[in-house]
Amino acid sequence: MLTLSFSPLVPEPVLWAAAALAAIVAIVSVLARGAPAMLRALALAILVLALANPALVEEEREPVDDVVAVVVDESASQGLGERAAMTEAVREELDRRLSTMQNVVPRFIAVEDGAGDDGTLLFRALANGLADVPPDRIAGVILVTDGVVHDIPDAVGQLGFRAPLHALITGRETERDRQIRLVRAPRFGIVGREQTIEAMVEERNGTGSALVTVRRDGEVMARRDVPTGRTFAVPVTIDRGGANVVEIEVEPLEEELTRANNRAVVEIEGIRENLRVLLVSGEPHAGERAWRNLLKSDANVDLVHFTILRPPHKQDGTPIDELSLIAFPTRELFQEKIDEFDLIIFDRYANQSILPSIYFDNIVSYVENGGAVLFAAGPEFATVASLARTRLSPIIPGVPTGEILEEPYKAEITAVGTRHPVTRGLDGSEVSPPAWGEWLRLLDADVRAGDTVMSGVDGRPLLVLERYDEGRVALLLSDHAWLWARGFREGGPYLDLLRRTAHWLMKEPALEEEALRASAEGRTIAIERQSMGETPSPVTLTAPSGESVGVALEPAAPGLWRARVTGAELGLHELRADGLVAFVSVGPANPREMRDVFSAVAHLAPIAEATGGSVRRLAEGAGAVVVPRIQTVRSDTRLSGADWIGIRPSESAVVRGVSVVPLALGFVGVVLLLGAVLAGWLAEGARRRA
């Protein structure tokens, strides 16, 4: 290829100034001297041309093949219905057709789900896949997708190339699907109060109404028909601290595209405003301060503490008006406001006729309805004044034998206690005998219910935990836990023991005896099963698509089993075992990729048409898949037709060699310049002689 190029010997402004000056001189000379001055003008022109340094450049060019990019969408939504089969068939056909075209190299770019919740990023993958290709070599781009794309450029200039873009849409217009979309979902809620979730059922080719089921922690709360396309409210009472998992599920349509988006899950973290604890000490004693300090150190606990300083049997003749004792508000505490407490602790309390029997009945009802009571027993528990001999006896898991053992002993974790979350793993329990200090008193009792998690002298019960109806009860058969707090003989883990006991009574989720938990890191699902049984059942793991597998658990510690599995799908997975249910999300709980699964032409139409390309479905109605013909088009007027799509050849080439022939320098330039000057001199001399 031969071209003319210029490489000025002087800066370009100087060259243009010289050309202008030469033109002025030439015009003046011609006007003043007539035709002979034309030769001088020619000499000036040759001089300016020499300064421009013209040259003939001949390039040795080798044509290169054009690149046609084929972006194949392999995201989660492309696996629905017939789309995967359509995609594979179209990919094979495009490969066959493009491979037979001359001067065309196909480049296939596969696109999976974006990281996190980014969805389908076709155009980012396209840019990365063509990063090593010059823009002028791109003859066309073909997208094979369902149209659910989340990074469509706003303007054609953002594409980085000028080739036509065509989109071949998988899926059919007749597809049916129904899905739940969350409109408003609270993340936190106060325990005992109501929160409202707002949701909507969206559908294509549906019925206009749908049956919605609402579950909380796996239990059905409500079922009702709702109109599709309209927001509806789901009121939820937060009944406990920790995670409250609310599941909203819509019934599927017949031959529905997918059921993976028929369910939405909202995890509401239950927050207690403050835990209210009533501590009633029967008399002043050394252990009273340990309980008080423990409860006061917890910022989430509102403590109400009463100590009986003057029981009825203690009469010393002091006039009432000279006493500064506060009257014990029994009616207010045990009848009017008893339900406001999360925990009641009777610390060395004896039946001293302070509480009438009707108040004991109120305490029993309080426990039956979900309340919690801790009995920290002292010597009075073995006497006729024991609370176990009152109407509280039904909720006390042990009956005193009357024997008080006054001797040093080390508290031991029982076989049941090694599996119970309250006592499992207490510091010092890993060796035998335990590496903690001794206690000096134990109240003997016949335990008739509950779990004995700690034992004392000769294996006799020390700490008993019982679930009673809807509530919980703990019985501590010693008043010497304070010895650990004082560091007696190296002390012991009194904070962990007493705090865990109190929080178990108040239904702390992390201390449940039977629990199923799961978490995800990347695609790895970590499963944890807490159980008091010897061997828990396998866990059933259900993927978003509805496919279920059994997962065997491996023992990790007494009462604790774990497993790790890889989630093959993104989205919310359900775990069930022994009536327990848990949820874990691989990726986001409600993935962006599944929020809109309807295949669509409209999303990609603006950007495709701006490049001169087109968007079309591969199959209309129930018809077969039709792949349009691919044609080479050299004009910009029409790049697609009813049954074809066009690619524009770039005519790109690689320069293998260059030869340059200067025109204004060397012998030829000197001869022309001298010839023009000599001719001008001769012409003017002849004119003067004439």
Side-chain angles (χ1 to χ4, degrees):
M1 182 177 179
L2 193 63
T3 60
L4 179 66
S5 69
F6 294 89
S7 302
L9 301 177
V10 295
E12 192 170 333
V14 175
L15 178 64
W16 284 109
L21 180 60
I24 294 171
V25 171
I27 293 171
V28 172
S29 297
V30 170
L31 293 176
R33 298 177 179 270
M38 294 290 293
L39 294 174
R40 290 192 177 189
L42 178 60
L44 290 173
I46 292 173
L47 179 60
V48 172
L49 185 62
L51 292 175
N53 192 22
L56 288 176
V57 179
E58 184 177 8
E59 295 180 347
E60 182 184 347
R61 300 171 65 88
E62 179 181 334
V64 294
D65 293 335
D66 295 330
V67 175
V68 175
V70 180
V71 184
V72 182
D73 185 353
E74 296 180 357
S75 60
S77 62
Q78 274 284 77
L80 305 178
E82 305 174 67
R83 297 178 191 177
M86 282 186 182
T87 301
E88 183 58 24
V90 173
R91 191 198 68 78
E92 292 178 357
E93 182 63 17
L94 290 176
D95 189 15
R96 185 187 67 80
R97 294 185 184 182
L98 291 171
S99 298
T100 61
M101 298 182 69
Q102 292 184 349
N103 303 323
V104 171
V105 175
R107 177 170 292 195
F108 288 85
I109 303 169
V111 183
E112 297 183 348
D113 293 318
D117 196 21
D118 290 342
T120 303
L121 306 179
L122 286 192
F123 288 90
R124 179 185 296 178
L126 173 63
N128 293 337
L130 296 178
D132 61 335
V133 180
D136 57 3
R137 281 191 59 194
I138 302 172
V141 174
I142 302 173
L143 308 179
V144 184
T145 177
D146 54 11
V148 183
V149 181
H150 301 105
D151 66 339
I152 301 174
D154 296 325
V156 68
Q158 298 174 6
L159 291 174
F161 57 83
R162 300 181 63 249
L165 183 146
H166 304 279
L168 306 180
I169 304 300
T170 60
R172 301 178 186 270
E173 189 68 31
T174 57
E175 290 173 339
R176 309 183 74 196
D177 191 67
R178 187 180 272 169
Q179 64 185 38
I180 284 285
R181 182 169 68 87
L182 295 174
V183 177
R184 188 178 71 87
R187 294 180 56 194
F188 303 96
I190 304 299
V191 174
R193 297 187 184 179
E194 189 176 89
Q195 288 286 345
T196 300
I197 301 170
E198 294 181 359
M200 178 187 298
V201 177
E202 296 179 338
E203 64 180 4
R204 174 186 283 183
N205 299 321
T207 61
S209 65
L211 177 64
V212 171
T213 302
V214 181
R215 300 182 182 89
R216 181 177 59 200
D217 299 323
E219 296 184 2
V220 175
M221 292 174 53
R223 284 192 175 94
R224 59 182 168 130
D225 283 307
V226 300
T228 60
R230 293 174 56 186
T231 301
F232 63 92
V234 179
V236 179
T237 300
I238 309 303
D239 64 344
R240 63 187 179 88
N244 292 257
V245 180
V246 180
E247 175 188 1
I248 307 173
E249 184 176 13
V250 61
E251 65 173 344
L253 291 165
E254 293 183 7
E255 300 180 354
E256 186 172 7
L257 187 61
T258 177
R259 297 190 180 188
N261 55 5
N262 285 37
R263 178 174 62 181
V265 172
V266 180
E267 187 172 292
I268 304 175
E269 189 72 16
I271 302 173
R272 297 180 185 271
E273 286 185 294
N274 269 320
L275 299 171
R276 300 203 67 200
V277 178
L278 173 61
L279 173 61
V280 181
S281 299
E283 61 182 70
H285 68 101
E288 178 184 10
R289 182 172 295 275
W291 280 110
R292 182 178 178 85
N293 290 344
L294 171 71
L295 296 168
K296 291 291 286 185
S297 66
D298 193 335
N300 293 324
V301 171
D302 284 341
L303 177 64
V304 178
H305 184 196
F306 287 94
T307 301
I308 309 299
L309 299 176
R310 188 178 175 85
H313 66 272
K314 186 177 181 180
Q315 301 293 336
D316 57 7
T318 304
I320 295 297
D321 58 358
E322 295 182 14
L323 293 174
S324 60
L325 300 180
I326 299 173
F328 191 22
T330 54
R331 177 180 176 82
E332 182 181 5
L333 294 176
F334 295 103
Q335 181 164 322
E336 296 176 357
K337 296 185 177 181
I338 186 171
D339 291 331
E340 296 180 7
F341 291 103
D342 297 286
L343 173 63
I344 298 174
I345 301 175
F346 287 103
D347 173 35
R348 288 194 57 172
Y349 184 87
N351 183 21
Q352 304 172 92
S353 300
I354 293 178
L355 293 180
S357 296
I358 189 173
Y359 293 157
F360 291 146
D361 293 337
N362 291 343
I363 296 171
V364 172
S365 297
Y366 160 75
V367 173
E368 291 174 341
N369 294 324
V373 177
L374 168 62
F375 298 96
E380 75 292 333
F381 189 73
T383 68
V384 294
S386 172
L387 289 177
R389 304 183 189 280
T390 67
R391 292 187 182 180
L392 291 178
S393 60
I395 65 172
I396 299 178
V399 178
T401 64
E403 184 178 2
I404 302 177
L405 302 170
E406 303 270 4
E407 60 181 271
Y409 66 92
K410 284 197 173 185
E412 300 269 358
I413 306 296
T414 65
V416 173
T418 60
R419 299 195 295 272
H420 202 289
V422 169
T423 47
R424 181 181 60 229
L426 283 176
D427 288 344
S429 65
E430 62 275 1
V431 295
S432 183
W436 51 53
E438 297 171 327
W439 293 3
L440 305 177
R441 181 183 292 152
L442 179 70
L443 289 305
D444 189 38
D446 292 329
V447 174
R448 60 190 180 185
D451 296 320
T452 300
V453 296
M454 295 186 75
S455 61
V457 180
D458 299 328
R460 303 189 192 196
L462 174 60
L463 177 60
V464 184
L465 306 176
E466 180 190 8
R467 290 173 176 264
Y468 187 88
D469 210 334
E470 297 295 323
R472 302 184 183 189
V473 179
L475 175 61
L476 180 60
L477 291 163
S478 176
D479 59 340
H480 278 187
W482 63 273
L483 292 175
W484 279 358
R486 297 285 181 87
F488 177 70
R489 294 185 180 176
E490 298 183 358
Y494 79 100
L495 279 175
D496 284 342
L497 176 62
L498 299 184
R499 183 176 287 122
R500 288 187 196 178
T501 301
H503 283 273
W504 175 84
L505 288 165
M506 292 185 285
K507 303 179 181 179
E508 173 66 38
L511 295 171
E512 293 295 305
E513 304 98 302
E514 300 293 330
L516 178 62
R517 306 180 184 95
S519 60
E521 182 176 345
R523 284 186 177 265
T524 301
I525 301 174
I527 304 172
E528 182 177 272
R529 174 77 165 92
Q530 161 69 43
S531 178
M532 297 298 291
E534 294 294 335
T535 305
S537 303
V539 174
T540 300
L541 176 65
T542 304
S545 63
E547 183 179 352
S548 297
V549 295
V551 180
L553 302 171
E554 297 292 333
L560 202 61
W561 288 261
R562 293 192 176 105
R564 295 175 70 86
V565 296
T566 300
E569 303 177 29
L570 293 178
L572 191 72
H573 292 64
E574 179 186 274
L575 299 93
R576 290 185 180 272
D578 301 317
L580 300 171
V581 62
F583 297 92
V584 63
S585 179
V586 177
N590 302 293
R592 185 180 186 184
E593 184 67 21
M594 288 295 156
R595 291 176 205 164
D596 180 8
V597 298
F598 302 132
S599 66
V601 174
H603 301 330
L604 289 166
I607 190 69
E609 292 171 359
T611 66
S614 62
V615 181
R616 68 189 69 207
R617 285 191 178 275
L618 289 163
E620 297 293 342
V625 174
V626 177
V627 181
R629 293 181 294 110
I630 304 174
Q631 294 186 183
T632 299
V633 181
R634 297 186 180 277
S635 68
D636 292 337
T637 56
R638 189 180 181 195
L639 293 171
S640 66
D643 62 347
W644 63 274
I645 57 177
I647 60 174
R648 184 189 296 116
S650 65
E651 299 181 352
S652 298
V654 176
V655 178
R656 297 299 185 187
V658 179
S659 60
V660 180
V661 179
L663 298 179
L665 296 178
F667 180 75
V668 175
V670 172
V671 169
L672 290 175
L673 180 59
L674 292 177
V677 173
L678 180 60
W681 177 71
L682 292 174
E684 290 187 1
R687 182 179 180 182
R688 283 196 298 269
R689 286 194 298 272

